[in-house]
Each structure stands twice: as C-alpha cells, then as structure tokens.
Amino acid sequence: MKFWRTVSTQKNSCNFRKIFMAAFGSLFMPEMAITWFDGDSWSPTEVVASDSISFHPGAHVLHYSSTCFEGLKAFRHADGSVKIFRMDKNIERFAQSSRLLGLPEIDKAQTQQMIESIVRQYTADVPEPPGSMYIRPTHIGTEPAIGKAAVPSVTSCQYILLSPVGDYFAGGDKALRLLVDDEAMRCPPHMGMIKSGGNYAAAMGPILNAKAQYQADQVLFCPGGDVQETGAANFLLIDGNQIITKALDESFLHGVTRDSILTLARDLGMDVQERQLSVDELLERAAKPGCEAALSGTAAVLAPVDTLIYKDKEYKVGNGGIGETTVKLRRALNDIQWGKAEDPHGWLTHL
Ligand SMILES: Cc1ncc(COP(=O)(O)O)c(C=O)c1O
C-alpha cells in the first residue's frame, strides 16, 4: 500500500517539508516513549531515539517470543486538534495480552500517559484525513535467560512507536480476494485473543501459499468449518439488514474496529448477530445478490471482500465489487474519527 504524507519542520521532527510516498508503517517519528521493568517496578518514562534499542542477544523475547503489541490511531480534526481513537480499549487489550503471555503487568496509567505525551510531541506531524498517526505500543521480555523456555521473563520493556500513515486505499478502493481455508488455524486456539508476534509468524506460511497458489490477498481461517478471521483483520458478513460475525471467544482477536462497526450498525438499526458462522452458510449467503463481506481492522478500517476461493473454486460475494453498506459503515466510522460527526460513544481522547 502506498500513501502520501507531509513532514513538518517542528523540533524533533524530520527537518524538511515535502510530500513523498512510503509503504504503510515504514516511516517512524524520530523519537519514542520507553519504560523498563526491572523485576520490581517500571522506570520513569523516557523519550529516546526510535531507531535503535539495546538489550542482550539472549533476551527472552528473541528466543521464546514474549512479545505483544497494539495498533491504534490519532486523527487530525479540521480545527487543528488531535484526537486518539479508543485508546482505553487498546490499552485494556495490551494489558490482557501482557498478562496472558506471562509478561510483567503493565501500568495502564503510565502507558496512557506515554501514548498521550509522545503523540503530543508530534502533533504537528499528524497527517490530515484520510491520513493519521498510527501508534504502536510494544511490550517485550528482556531477561537474558536462554534456559527459560517454560518460565516467563522477569524483566521487560515497553515502548510507543509512531508512524504517520496515509489512506490505506490511496491506490483506489479494490475489493479483496480471500482463500477460505477450513483446515489451517491462524494460531493455537488459546492464543487467538493475544496480539502477539508469534501468531503472525504462525499464519505466514498459509498466507504465502494462498498468495502464490490462488493470488489471494488473505486467508480466511475457518478451522473445522468455523469462520474466524484473517491474518490481520476480523471478518464480517453483511446480508441485507443483518451483520454476522463470530461471537467473542479466546480463539481470535477481539478487534476494536469490529466492536466499533457493530456498535454503529446497531445504532443504524441493523440486526447484529455475533454467533458461529459455518463455511456452508457463508457460501450460501454470499451467493445472494446484494450480500457483502468485509474485513475490519485499524489499518484498513472496513475493507470490501468480493471473492471467496474454496476448494479450488471461486465464489463472487453478492454482485461483486464494493458493497454500499460496507461504504456506509466505513464512512460512519471515519466521520467520527475525523470529527465530521458527533462522538456519541465517547471514543475520542482529546490531547
Ligand atoms: C489478527 C487480527 N485480527 C483482527 C484485527 C483487527 O483489530 P483492530 O480492529 O483492533 O485493529 C487485527 C489488527 O491488527 C489483527 O491483527
């Protein structure tokens, strides 16, 4: 994905102003907020250069993948103010991931303060909509101990990276092709609701195969015929006034965008069904004209899906292309994020 951004001349920012292109998430603000857990307490937050970090090559994270992260966004409004979207929900998930991985408990108030202060430092670099500042809190086990395969890291490090991003759809809104895989699991079931690097590594093989063999954009993981999610987004089926998506359990990631879209759909009077969806039902409903499918996630917001590939056969979703309910729901969410509509659920934090 390509996008455009401007870089300001503000202190601590890149010292030039021009527009250029880069891949999503590949540009970083020059400094980040960081804190270290020494086995007892978190150090006071520091702001340091974001291009390097120093820890032992035997660090727990490098061997036993004790790592989790978050992805949330700050948006610039027309009055120049900057707002962070659903920070509390992301911090809750970050704390839960840390706990389930046996990492030290995070101090949620400190994490919030770190996010707010580093975004405030780079307020001038938050792109205008449809761009935003992508915020990446990260937590890693740092204890130098290669004998601790089944024991958690006593020490850890938390940092907040910032990456200005453009419109995910800058190249034109294109509906996605998904390979429906009713065998592979994205990750072990008890890891699904943890946002951890190991889960993405586990999904990489099936995704690469799906790309090479079927030119699919993503894999829709449906182990045992149960429609779960893709490698980096939740899956929603939109059939007329109904939205159907898997009910929350520990086997998949509880997306903040999923929750936001379902809330807005309920506000619009739609019938939201959080329940089990089988591959058979998915294909049966997808064949109806007017049926839509979409992926939800912080990066892409709500991305249309128009092709499902199952057992070497291609199935068009509804009429193909981009569904109008998908566009309507995405706009409703963007309007709140961009300050063009009221924020009735109190999702924005003002800096
Ligand atoms: C596996 C997976 N599922 C779902 C999502 C969507 O989550 P959110 O809406 O909180 O970004 C993500 C986002 O990164 C993801 O990696």
Side-chain angles (χ1 to χ4, degrees):
M1 296 290 171
K2 300 287 186 187
F3 68 90
W4 298 91
R5 82 169 175 106
T6 56
V7 176
S8 84
T9 53
Q10 194 206 18
K11 183 173 169 278
N12 288 332
S13 299
C14 307
N15 60 359
F16 54 91
R17 180 184 282 277
K18 69 176 187 180
I19 297 171
F20 61 96
M21 293 179 78
F24 190 99
S26 65
L27 288 169
F28 297 98
M29 289 292 99
E31 292 189 324
M32 63 181 180
I34 193 166
T35 176
W36 300 83
F37 190 80
D38 62 4
D40 190 35
S41 59
W42 289 100
S43 66
T45 303
E46 287 175 87
V47 174
V48 300
S50 67
D51 62 352
S52 63
I53 185 170
S54 176
F55 51 81
H56 197 280
H60 199 271
V61 62
L62 298 177
H63 303 265
Y64 306 121
S65 300
S66 47
T67 167
C68 59
F69 63 93
E70 271 307 319
L72 64 163
K73 282 175 171 172
F75 295 92
R76 175 177 300 288
H77 286 192
D79 63 2
S81 65
V82 167
K83 307 274 177 16
I84 305 178
F85 185 71
R86 303 206 72 174
M87 178 170 54
D88 52 344
K89 193 106 176 133
N90 282 275
I91 292 176
E92 274 305 330
R93 191 170 65 183
F94 195 41
Q96 176 178 274
S97 294
S98 300
R99 207 174 302 125
L100 292 172
L101 286 169
L103 277 162
E105 191 79 19
I106 65 163
D107 173 344
K108 289 188 273 190
Q110 183 182 18
T111 302
Q112 173 168 343
Q113 175 272 325
M114 288 166 76
I115 294 172
E116 290 181 3
S117 65
I118 199 71
V119 174
R120 202 174 287 122
Q121 178 172 323
Y122 290 110
T123 299
D125 290 291
V126 176
E128 309 251 338
S132 59
M133 185 66 86
Y134 187 82
I135 305 165
R136 171 55 63 92
T138 308
H139 189 187
I140 55 175
T142 52
E143 187 179 355
I146 55 173
K148 282 195 147 186
V151 184
S153 178
V154 166
T155 60
S156 71
C157 169
Q158 223 188 115
Y159 54 84
I160 318 288
L161 277 173
L162 297 183
S163 175
V165 296
D167 183 6
Y168 205 73
F169 296 103
D173 210 340
K174 187 180 141 291
L176 303 172
R177 290 164 58 80
L178 303 187
L179 177 70
V180 177
D181 188 332
D182 61 5
E183 287 176 6
M185 283 187 188
R186 173 180 170 257
C187 62
H190 70 285
M191 292 291 288
M193 65 181 189
I194 308 176
K195 199 163 166 66
S196 182
N199 290 346
Y200 296 84
M204 198 63 81
I207 293 170
L208 291 178
N209 283 342
K211 287 188 177 172
Q213 243 185 298
Y214 298 99
Q215 295 73 55
D217 296 297
Q218 270 296 339
V219 175
L220 180 57
F221 291 97
C222 311
D226 174 33
V227 178
Q228 294 191 332
E229 62 176 336
T230 63
N234 294 120
F235 179 80
L236 307 173
L237 184 68
I238 303 168
D239 186 0
N241 197 42
Q242 291 180 340
I243 293 203
I244 306 166
T245 193
K246 185 172 170 60
L248 297 180
D249 66 17
E250 64 176 20
S251 72
F252 75 109
L253 196 75
H254 302 178
V256 175
T257 316
R258 171 192 177 282
D259 181 79
S260 308
I261 291 286
L262 296 186
T263 301
L264 294 176
R266 284 190 192 98
D267 291 350
L268 290 168
M270 292 184 74
D271 170 17
V272 174
Q273 300 189 7
E274 293 180 76
R275 62 165 171 86
Q276 193 153 19
L277 174 66
S278 68
V279 171
D280 288 344
E281 181 181 353
L282 167 64
L283 295 179
E284 196 184 308
R285 285 186 182 256
K288 292 199 233 163
C291 191
E292 301 175 30
L295 299 184
S296 69
T298 297
V301 187
L302 197 59
V305 171
D306 79 343
T307 307
L308 301 172
I309 307 154
Y310 182 59
K311 295 201 190 298
D312 293 327
K313 219 178 128 194
E314 292 205 6
Y315 298 81
K316 270 280 159 248
V317 179
N319 309 316
I322 299 163
E324 64 185 57
T325 306
T326 302
V327 172
K328 185 169 79 178
L329 288 169
R330 190 168 88 203
R331 187 170 307 134
L333 182 55
N334 277 152
D335 281 352
I336 294 174
Q337 292 173 327
W338 298 345
K340 289 181 168 179
E342 287 297 305
D343 173 24
H345 301 285
W347 287 339
L348 299 174
T349 300
H350 180 70
L351 283 186

